[in-house]
Amino acid sequence: MNQWLTAPILIPLLGGILQVFMGYAPISLRRTLAIATTVLLLVSTVVLVVLASDDSYRLYAFGNWQPPFGIVLVLDRLAALMLILTAILALFCHIFAIGGADEGNRQFHGLFLFQLMGLNIAFLTGDLFNLFVAFEVLLIASYGLLMHGGGRARTVPGLHYVVLNLAGSAVFLISVGMIYSVTGTLNMADLAIEIPKVTGENLDIVKAGGMMLLVVFALKAALIPLCFWLPKAYAKATAPVAALFAVMTKVGIYAILRVYLLIFGEDAGALANLGMDWLFPLALITLAMGVIGALGADNLKTLVAWQVIISVGTLLAPIALGSVAGISAALFYLLSTTWTVGGLFLVAELVAHQRGSAKDRIVTAPRMRNRTFLSVLFLLGAVAAAGLPPLSGFFAKLLILQSVASGPEMAWLWSVILVGSFFTVIAYSRAGSIVFWRTVDGHVEAQGPLGGNVSVAAGALVALSVVIVALAGPISDYTDATAAQLHDPAGYVEILKTPMVGEDR
Amino acid sequence: MELVFALVIGALTASGVYLLLRARTFPVVVGLTLISYGVNLFLFSSGRLATGAQPIIGTTDTYTDPLPQALVLTAIVIGFAMTAFVVVLSLRSLADHEDDHVDGHQDIKEPQPEQNEEVTGK
């Protein structure tokens, strides 16, 4: 039992409740308290990363019920990595938001913090049904955030997003019911023990349940053919919200990693590696689709939204192959791509702010006021996203390419990633050269200089790709250990035997 | 009982999916509601159907699995909240676009202005 595990859930929960009750307080007070909550959250996740880095599993059982009964939170290296990834992204999005994007909606900060709470529950939970609840918590906050800022352009993508996710939730519940009806448990560690014992006619039920679960996670992760809702919704969202949403697709990828390595892993008997032979080709098609979308994008935000889909494909391909090195490389890429994409959304918003009616459309327009600063940020972000040396995207893609053993998979992965990266470079250089170089005479209506908050937030998120390169050694050590830990479900199952408080009497 | 139960779940889900595909906001909302009813019933059945058995040990000779009931309860609460949100969003979409199509508009060509076909030359 370790009470620290509840901190990343309780901090945003209490902060969010506080925001709800002070909706009419002065905005400066609300902003200060909201940022303080996010900073506190970041501190708590740092503590959890330190806790998790000794390779042990930590458990918090609500109500002191011995697992598999009751709800448990489980902390391992993967959960800690996802928590700190989210907390850092959220802090910079939040700093950007208090630069003015949070105006016009008194509950923006509350929704933002509840969104973080949902994300953190999803990463910490050790229970399949609680994962569903976490998805719903983060989704209902994300519905509110997506509609933030109003405007007719947001209602239709918002409606599509909500309806699609509700249909996904229904499928999730059906698959949970199918798995429960056979195994009689929903605790992930217990499922890892029960699934290999399933035989006979029950096998098909669990198999169908497992495949439907993959469909749900693929919908959250925006895997083809379930990805077409994403570009419109993300491109229309307010910039800090879109940047925070960069981590939402990663929740689906996290769930795939967790469920399909632990429950349907190599030890799962007849159901070993369920669905992974589907995942690999679909991931490559998603990658190709994302590149085509990026080439055809007519504004910067849509371009970045398609970059989200590219990164989903790049992440799921090595995960589907399932080697330790591949998963380690994927986790390294996960860190790099989430922060970079978040930063690019913020940069696109700053560009849109400086170009008058041209907004972020990829067309010629009068010069921007802060063009040097913005073009350097865009260049850094584009280099990191497309995977050119010397920034983090390059190293991550290199690790992914190195991780695959020779064979037909290697041929497919290398060709799709390399050709895809080439065309991504073309997409970014086309967008960048038109927006920053091909300017026309004239001037836009006087815009104020960039605020300190927004510059710092966008700059810092993009600059994180430099930090990742500088710290590449420790980070890849951590991801290697995470991948090794994920490949050993026997360790995770040990949490079932953790003594509860007061049991030793 | 099992056959009736299965038929009800099937009918609810099939009607729900049909309504979802109508691509009008009101049928979509009703369709989502029907699907969630079907899903809740399905979830309820995952603990096996039993008559006269309560989910509390000691009250009767046989008892039934309490967990699916807890799951259904949670799912119902979440389903209601989500449905309420979709209803509000649909109304907003209707007000914004003056059309209840889920795309905000229909891809039907505007009716051609009436031409004076009477001029036939006769």
Side-chain angles (χ1 to χ4, degrees), chain A residues 147-223:
Chain A
M147 304 305 297
H148 170 70
R152 289 180 50 163
R154 288 199 177 98
T155 39
V156 165
L159 192 65
H160 292 180
Y161 177 74
V162 175
V163 170
L164 212 58
N165 275 306
L166 285 180
S169 302
V171 179
F172 198 163
L173 279 176
I174 293 173
S175 56
V176 162
M178 287 167 99
I179 292 174
Y180 179 78
S181 68
V182 172
T183 59
T185 180
L186 287 174
N187 184 292
M188 290 190 199
D190 204 24
L191 277 175
I193 296 175
E194 293 296 328
I195 293 280
K197 295 183 193 160
V198 175
T199 48
E201 58 183 3
N202 288 338
L203 202 63
D204 290 334
I205 300 178
V206 177
K207 193 172 181 180
M211 292 302 275
M212 282 166 79
L213 216 51
L214 189 62
V215 172
V216 180
F217 296 153
L219 174 68
K220 310 286 175 200
L223 188 73

Side-chain angles (χ1 to χ4, degrees), chain A residues 129 132-133 136-137 139-140 143-144 147 150-152 155-156 158-160 162-163 166-167 170 173-174 176-178 180-182 186, chain B residues 20 25 28 32 35 39-40 42-43 46-48 65 67-68 71 74-75 78 81-82 85-86 89-90 92-93 96-97 102-104:
Chain A
F129 189 77
F132 163 77
V133 176
E136 296 304 309
V137 170
L139 282 175
I140 199 152
Y143 301 156
M147 304 305 297
R152 289 180 50 163
T155 39
V156 165
L159 192 65
H160 292 180
V162 175
V163 170
L166 285 180
L173 279 176
I174 293 173
V176 162
M178 287 167 99
Y180 179 78
S181 68
V182 172
L186 287 174
Chain B
L20 205 58
T25 49
V28 163
L32 282 171
I35 289 179
V39 169
N40 289 340
F42 178 83
L43 211 53
S46 67
R48 304 292 182 272
D65 191 350
L67 199 88
L71 301 188
T74 317
I78 291 175
M82 295 295 175
F85 189 84
V86 185
L89 195 57
S90 310
R92 176 65 184 273
S93 175
D96 277 355
H97 300 278
V102 288
D103 278 339

Side-chain angles (χ1 to χ4, degrees), chain A residues 4-20:
Chain A
W4 272 106
L5 265 61
T6 52
I9 298 168
L10 287 182
I11 292 171
L13 174 66
L14 294 177
I17 290 174
L18 203 60
Q19 294 290 332
V20 169

Side-chain angles (χ1 to χ4, degrees), chain B residues 16-114:
Chain B
V17 170
Y18 172 76
L19 287 174
L20 205 58
L21 298 177
R22 289 295 304 276
R24 296 273 171 185
T25 49
F26 184 68
V28 163
V29 173
V30 177
L32 282 171
T33 316
L34 288 185
I35 289 179
S36 79
Y37 290 158
V39 169
N40 289 340
L41 285 176
F42 178 83
L43 211 53
F44 188 73
S45 73
S46 67
R48 304 292 182 272
L49 298 172
T51 317
Q54 290 158 17
I56 303 166
I57 301 176
T59 47
T60 46
D61 290 340
T62 56
Y63 64 95
T64 184
D65 191 350
L67 199 88
Q69 311 199 0
L71 301 188
V72 171
L73 202 60
T74 317
I76 288 172
V77 172
I78 291 175
F80 272 141
M82 295 295 175
T83 310
F85 189 84
V86 185
V87 169
V88 174
L89 195 57
S90 310
L91 288 173
R92 176 65 184 273
S93 175
L94 179 63
D96 277 355
H97 300 278
E98 291 172 352
D99 194 319
D100 68 343
H101 196 270
V102 288
D103 278 339
H105 62 88
Q106 265 181 302
D107 283 331
I108 296 175
K109 281 178 187 162
E110 292 286 313
Q112 296 293 319
E114 294 253 332

Side-chain angles (χ1 to χ4, degrees), chain A residues 420-476:
Chain A
S421 300
F422 174 67
F423 281 105
T424 318
V425 173
I426 292 180
Y428 279 110
S429 44
R430 167 179 156 268
S433 55
I434 293 176
V435 169
F436 292 104
W437 286 350
R438 214 175 293 167
T439 50
V440 293
D441 290 337
H443 59 89
V444 292
E445 282 174 42
Q447 301 277 0
L450 288 179
N453 293 330
V454 291
S455 318
V456 166
L461 263 187
V462 172
L464 277 175
S465 60
V466 183
V467 176
I468 295 177
V469 173
L471 298 175
I475 292 177
S476 63

Side-chain angles (χ1 to χ4, degrees), chain A residues 32-220:
Chain A
T32 315
L33 280 173
I35 287 288
T37 316
T38 321
V39 171
L40 210 59
L41 175 66
L42 179 59
V43 173
S44 77
T45 59
V46 171
V47 172
L48 290 187
V49 169
V50 173
L51 275 181
S53 56
D54 65 350
D55 273 329
S56 63
Y57 293 88
R58 280 183 176 73
L59 175 78
Y60 181 81
F62 283 95
N64 207 23
W65 287 57
Q66 176 75 40
F69 311 106
I71 297 168
V72 289
L73 300 179
V74 182
L75 176 78
D76 64 349
R77 277 174 176 267
L78 178 64
L81 184 74
M82 299 302 292
L83 285 175
I84 194 160
L85 164 82
T86 311
I88 291 177
L89 179 72
L91 178 63
F92 290 121
C93 294
H94 215 157
I95 293 175
F96 189 95
I98 60 171
D102 59 345
E103 284 159 12
N105 181 351
R106 281 191 299 278
Q107 300 305 347
F108 175 84
H109 292 297
L111 285 171
F112 193 95
L113 293 173
F114 287 132
Q115 165 95 70
L116 292 180
M117 180 182 77
L119 287 166
N120 291 345
I121 300 176
F123 295 141
L124 278 169
T125 183
D127 181 293
L128 216 49
F129 189 77
N130 223 26
L131 189 64
F132 163 77
V133 176
F135 274 8
E136 296 304 309
V137 170
L138 72 91
L139 282 175
I140 199 152
S142 78
Y143 301 156
L145 285 176
L146 190 62
M147 304 305 297
H148 170 70
R152 289 180 50 163
R154 288 199 177 98
T155 39
V156 165
L159 192 65
H160 292 180
Y161 177 74
V162 175
V163 170
L164 212 58
N165 275 306
L166 285 180
S169 302
V171 179
F172 198 163
L173 279 176
I174 293 173
S175 56
V176 162
M178 287 167 99
I179 292 174
Y180 179 78
S181 68
V182 172
T183 59
T185 180
L186 287 174
N187 184 292
M188 290 190 199
D190 204 24
L191 277 175
I193 296 175
E194 293 296 328
I195 293 280
K197 295 183 193 160
V198 175
T199 48
E201 58 183 3
N202 288 338
L203 202 63
D204 290 334
I205 300 178
V206 177
K207 193 172 181 180
M211 292 302 275
M212 282 166 79
L213 216 51
L214 189 62
V215 172
V216 180
F217 296 153
L219 174 68
K220 310 286 175 200

